[in-house]
Amino acid sequence: MTTLTLGKALNEGMRKAMEDDPKVLIMGEDVGKLGGVFRVTDGLQKDFGEQRVIDTPLAESGIIGTAIGLALRGYRPVCEIQFDGFVFPAADQIITQLAKMPLRSLGKVKLPVVVRIPCGGGIGAVEHHSESPEAYFTHTGGLRVVACSNPVDAYTMIQQAIRCDDPVVFFEPKRRYWEKAEVDTSADAAGWTPFDQAQVVRPGTDLTLLAYGPMVKTSLEAAAAAEEDGRSVEVIDLRSLNPLDIERVEESVRRTGRCVVVHEAPVYNGFGAEVAARVTERCFYNLEAPVLRVGGPSTPYPPSKLEDHYLPDLDRVLDAVDRAFAF
Amino acid sequence: MTAEAPRGAEAPPELVQLLTPEGERVEHPDYDIDLTPEEIRGLYRDLVLVRRVDLEAVALQRQGELGLWASLLGQEAAQIGSGRALAETDMAFPTYREHGVAWCRGVDPVNLLGLFRGVNHGGWDPAEHNFHLYTIVIGSQTLHAVGYAMGIQRDSAEAATIVYFGDGATSQGDVNESFIWASVFNAPVVFFCQNNQWAISEPLEKQSRIPLYRRASGFGFPGVRVDGNDVFACLAVTRKALADARSGQGPVLIEAFTYRMGAHTTSDDPTRYRVASELEAWKLKDPIERVRAYMFKNQIADQDFFDAVDAEADELGRDVRKRCLELPDPGPLAIFDHVYAEPHRLMDEERAQFAAYLEGFEG
Ligand SMILES: Cc1ncc(C[n+]2csc(CCOP(=O)(O)OP(=O)(O)O)c2C)c(N)n1
């Protein structure tokens, strides 16, 4: 067991993947000497060289487009998009090419490309540095979309994403980069939770809180606070947004009868809408209340002085929990 | 250029220069300029004042008053030279470091600080100053500038646009597309690239294997490289490019060869990727020192003038600091303001819900 921050766990995970498979490449802006603006790739270029850890020109469409070409040639590129708001210049390559080429080849082409995106707010940044663009990608067939929330998952999920033969959009909760946990880096990969599975991170009996990425911690805090009011809240970390592990969710909601989905992205047309619709379809007769959603307002991400109001916090989650019990 | 050689230690060839680092006036066949003593004193004052605002902003960030700051230190001449070349009706499209150009356009520096303090995303009226909002997504604004220039064309107006971007930005698809559009439509736009040698940690070699100004020829319009630390040359070259654009001769790419003396932003740590000797070499090319030397030698100003400018800079710094600290935080419901120009049901609903939620705490 070693104590690792989430950022360092990603770093160790990528290091392991690079040692295991010489075809794994890291590419992106400032990923080399600087180790990325969050230092997630720190030291990798020093140890694996410039052929495997590539400082790219400042061009996101170029990063993903060339990663596709490298993948066609048998490499497994792991691309870093510096911040969530800068993935859009690459959206064309991700949505029109990366997602669709395997299908167009009737499965002959495999594109094992990982697109790492530090996501979400809460770090007091300027515009375009705090967004949650997951819905754009979960809406695109052909992409797997996952979000890690803690160091253990960061370490395992990044390796699973790299090993996966499908393109994976990999969200990293940037405000949790510095949070620490014990990680067993010697555990056998065969025992890891598959990266398309949801996980119950706190059991409970009265209500199911569904969250992913940065909101898992907030939801755990809310569940602990609800406990003091005598409410037993189960928290599930969805981990994979596409595919969604609906069976695990269904099993929980059938038991608890109440469900709240939490994310940072705007509620309107957000990922929570998909979850709510599916839960309603499957658990209609078990539900004591409508599935509620907690998320950002349907506005652009505000200037940082307002982000504490924009981002769901403990109180906003508890407010939704109260409303679910009021029905 | 190898990684070890201090970048820009030797002056590159093909560089338009009118004032040497030692403060000697030199002539150039195409770009010579006649400046009155008063104009020279004005440029010097601009350089000193924007440097002072920048230093104050860095200090404010260090004291936790700004979330971030992108310093212009070292790039004052490129910004003041080009900014003072603009006619009132010309439109400027900046990135996020153009505090000197903003100064020339009459934007209150406190407005810039407000953005980095996180009270708004910009907030000034671009039309009032003919200075567009800062753009953080690299390269996007180059296309806006070309579109605006196409509008100028259609209006048969006597004006041009100027668009600022960095060396790193030249790798973006948008920037290359903007070159194509400008060229094909012969748009009155001046592309002003401040090549400060670095895109965060990546040196110019990671973006281009040819001098950036030469890119223009591949797109079918002229490119010129100017000493970006020479305010006279920046003014002369930009003036000519804008005049050409206004008179229907199409776009020009100016590469201002300069250096980012500070960190990329206050969150960056340049010691991880660049050597100190590089900084030392560039210090000798300081944009302010050379004007000061020239003015002294040619008796364009006396010590009283320099003292007065310094005093004015101190006063400006104090004023900017004071007003920055006085900037009110926006109220929570401001999240819903200005998202749409027309009434919008969803905004009304969410605003009302949020107001009710907040009132619950007052209970
Ligand atoms: C599309 C996009 N990708 C990445 C970034 C992150 N980023 C901010 S500034 C910067 C480097 C810009 O370098 P350059 O264009 O040379 O301008 P400079 O800051 O040096 O003036 C990067 C990579 C961004 N803002 N936008």
Side-chain angles (χ1 to χ4, degrees):
Chain A
M1 288 282 188
T2 18
T3 307
L4 296 177
T5 62
L6 191 152
K8 184 70 179 149
L10 288 165
N11 181 287
E12 290 293 329
M14 282 189 278
R15 173 179 293 280
K16 187 79 187 11
M18 294 185 82
E19 283 164 358
D20 291 350
D21 182 352
K23 294 291 187 188
V24 175
L25 307 175
I26 306 285
M27 50 199 287
E29 295 156 12
D30 303 292
V31 296
K33 256 191 194 161
L34 190 66
V37 291
F38 291 106
R39 312 286 182 260
V40 173
T41 55
D42 199 15
L44 296 179
Q45 189 181 66
K46 194 168 125 276
D47 297 339
F48 294 96
E50 292 187 19
Q51 289 295 314
R52 294 192 64 197
V53 180
I54 307 164
D55 267 332
T56 67
L58 207 178
E60 286 76 11
S61 183
I63 294 171
I64 305 301
T66 57
I68 291 172
L70 283 157
L72 290 172
R73 182 74 195 174
Y75 286 90
R76 305 183 87 84
V78 183
C79 305
E80 176 172 298
I81 299 292
Q82 203 156 70
F83 278 93
D84 34 52
F86 309 142
V87 70
F88 300 108
D92 172 38
Q93 286 289 343
I94 297 174
I95 293 169
T96 70
Q97 304 302 320
L98 185 63
K100 298 183 173 62
M101 222 180 265
L103 168 77
R104 282 164 52 214
S105 73
L106 300 181
K108 292 186 182 67
V109 165
K110 291 193 176 63
L111 291 179
V113 175
V114 178
V115 183
R116 292 181 39 237
I117 308 177
C119 71
I123 61 163
V126 291
E127 244 188 326
H128 312 292
H129 289 72
S130 304
E131 299 179 11
S132 302
E134 61 269 22
Y136 298 104
F137 300 107
T138 54
H139 193 66
T140 300
L143 302 173
R144 286 176 184 269
V145 180
V146 303
C148 62
S149 70
N150 62 73
V152 175
D153 281 353
Y155 177 72
T156 60
M157 286 173 76
I158 189 66
Q159 293 184 64
Q160 291 165 320
I162 295 170
R163 269 190 226 137
C164 179
D165 275 339
D166 293 320
V168 180
V169 177
F170 192 96
F171 285 104
E172 303 169 3
K174 67 172 85 82
R175 67 165 137 154
R176 310 287 184 218
Y177 271 144
W178 299 274
E179 308 219 333
K180 289 182 187 159
E182 293 281 299
V183 182
D184 183 358
T185 51
S186 64
D188 185 15
W192 296 348
T193 309
F195 81 140
D196 58 359
Q197 250 179 41
Q199 244 172 358
V200 176
V201 287
R202 179 187 170 105
T205 54
D206 301 340
L207 181 143
T208 305
L209 260 186
L210 301 174
Y212 53 90
M215 280 295 113
V216 173
K217 184 173 186 223
T218 309
S219 299
L220 284 169
E221 288 164 1
E227 182 93 82
E228 291 168 22
D229 299 334
R231 285 172 177 162
S232 168
V233 172
E234 177 148 307
V235 181
I236 295 184
D237 181 350
L238 293 175
R239 298 167 89 245
S240 176
L241 311 189
N242 185 5
L244 178 69
D245 184 358
I246 191 69
E247 285 75 22
R248 194 150 302 232
V249 172
E250 179 181 349
E251 184 281 317
S252 172
V253 179
R254 279 182 188 275
R255 264 193 294 110
T256 62
R258 292 181 179 83
C259 180
V260 174
V261 196
V262 190
H263 56 57
E264 287 189 9
V267 166
Y268 193 79
N269 234 314
F271 185 69
E274 180 62 37
V275 178
R278 280 180 192 262
V279 169
T280 307
E281 242 172 62
R282 290 185 174 235
C283 309
F284 188 70
Y285 292 106
N286 302 84
L287 284 171
E288 307 282 340
V291 181
L292 299 178
R293 289 170 290 158
V294 183
S298 308
T299 66
Y301 197 89
S304 60
K305 289 276 185 191
L306 287 169
E307 71 179 344
D308 287 347
H309 294 293
Y310 180 97
L311 292 168
D313 59 3
L314 188 80
D315 288 329
R316 290 249 308 276
V317 178
L318 287 174
D319 177 64
V321 168
D322 284 346
R323 281 187 285 127
F325 277 98
F327 276 92
Chain B
M1 197 183 280
T2 63
E4 286 73 35
R7 204 169 311 279
E10 315 135 41
E14 323 135 319
L15 187 77
V16 178
Q17 190 180 67
L18 299 178
L19 189 63
T20 68
E22 294 74 34
E24 299 295 340
R25 191 70 168 76
V26 284
E27 284 180 10
H28 191 283
D30 303 324
Y31 293 105
D32 215 16
I33 196 171
D34 238 346
L35 294 166
T36 65
E38 196 184 339
E39 283 172 319
I40 294 170
R41 286 192 291 267
L43 290 171
Y44 175 83
R45 175 177 169 271
D46 286 336
L47 293 170
V48 172
L49 295 190
V50 299
R51 179 171 289 185
R52 188 66 177 80
V53 170
D54 188 73
L55 287 174
E56 197 64 44
V58 172
L60 282 162
Q61 196 283 332
R62 294 287 178 243
Q63 291 154 12
E65 298 294 344
L66 303 180
L68 185 82
W69 182 252
S71 165
L72 64 47
L73 189 68
Q75 299 180 218
E76 296 89 348
Q79 296 195 13
I80 297 299
S82 61
R84 287 297 179 209
L86 293 167
E88 205 169 314
T89 48
D90 294 336
M91 179 73 183
F93 287 83
T95 139
Y96 43 76
R97 204 190 290 283
E98 269 67 74
H99 321 313
V101 187
W103 171 260
C104 296
R105 299 313 265 172
V107 176
D108 184 343
V110 176
N111 258 326
L112 310 178
L113 268 61
L115 187 162
F116 288 97
R117 189 172 166 84
V119 302
N120 60 37
H121 286 319
W124 61 89
D125 178 1
E128 185 188 332
H129 301 280
N130 273 352
F131 183 76
H132 193 68
L133 300 169
Y134 274 8
T135 303
I136 288 172
V137 180
I138 298 293
S140 292
Q141 76 283 5
T142 55
L143 283 164
H144 311 157
V146 175
Y148 194 97
M150 290 168 67
I152 291 175
Q153 254 176 344
R154 273 150 189 73
D155 299 341
S156 306
E158 263 288 299
T161 65
I162 186 165
V163 56
Y164 292 87
F165 52 98
D167 40 293
T170 62
S171 295
Q172 283 287 353
D174 275 5
V175 175
N176 288 273
E177 290 183 30
S178 77
F179 288 174
I180 291 167
W181 281 69
S183 172
V184 166
F185 292 99
N186 202 43
V189 55
V190 173
F191 294 104
F192 196 92
C193 176
Q194 287 171 84
N195 173 4
N196 65 11
Q197 314 300 328
W198 292 93
I200 311 189
S201 73
E202 298 196 7
L204 184 61
E205 297 80 30
K206 293 284 178 216
Q207 317 291 341
S208 182
R209 289 297 170 116
I210 61 160
L212 291 175
Y213 77 95
R214 281 200 219 148
R215 289 251 171 111
S217 75
F219 290 92
F221 55 92
V224 53
R225 178 184 264 180
V226 60
D227 182 339
N229 288 19
D230 172 354
V231 70
F232 295 173
C234 288
L235 177 61
V237 168
T238 313
R239 235 183 219 174
K240 177 154 189 325
L242 286 165
D244 288 352
R246 283 188 218 108
S247 66
Q249 295 178 60
V252 181
L253 169 63
I254 299 173
E255 177 193 354
F257 197 83
T258 182
Y259 192 78
R260 184 193 88 208
M261 296 299 285
H264 169 69
T265 65
T266 43
S267 335
D268 175 41
D269 173 11
T271 61
R272 288 179 78 105
Y273 56 81
R274 71 183 189 189
V275 294
S277 60
E278 192 176 300
L279 206 65
E280 293 309 312
W282 276 93
K283 253 187 203 153
L284 303 173
K285 302 174 193 235
D286 186 79
I288 298 185
E289 284 312 314
R290 70 174 78 178
V291 184
R292 187 198 264 279
Y294 172 74
M295 290 169 81
F296 251 128
K297 273 185 228 167
N298 295 276
Q299 295 170 349
I300 291 170
D302 55 17
Q303 192 57 46
D304 285 351
F305 169 80
F306 293 116
D307 292 346
V309 172
D310 286 345
E312 189 183 356
D314 287 343
E315 183 46 42
L316 176 65
R318 270 195 295 275
D319 173 60
V320 162
R321 157 173 295 265
K322 176 165 170 290
R323 288 190 298 124
C324 173
L325 300 182
E326 285 167 2
L327 282 172
D329 285 357
L333 296 177
I335 289 175
F336 302 96
D337 293 343
H338 310 300
V339 180
Y340 297 95
E342 305 266 353
H344 188 281
R345 272 184 218 101
L346 180 65
M347 282 305 96
D348 294 346
E349 181 194 319
E350 290 193 359
R351 184 190 287 107
Q353 279 170 358
F354 196 47
Y357 169 77
L358 291 172
E359 273 164 26
F361 287 96
E362 284 158 18

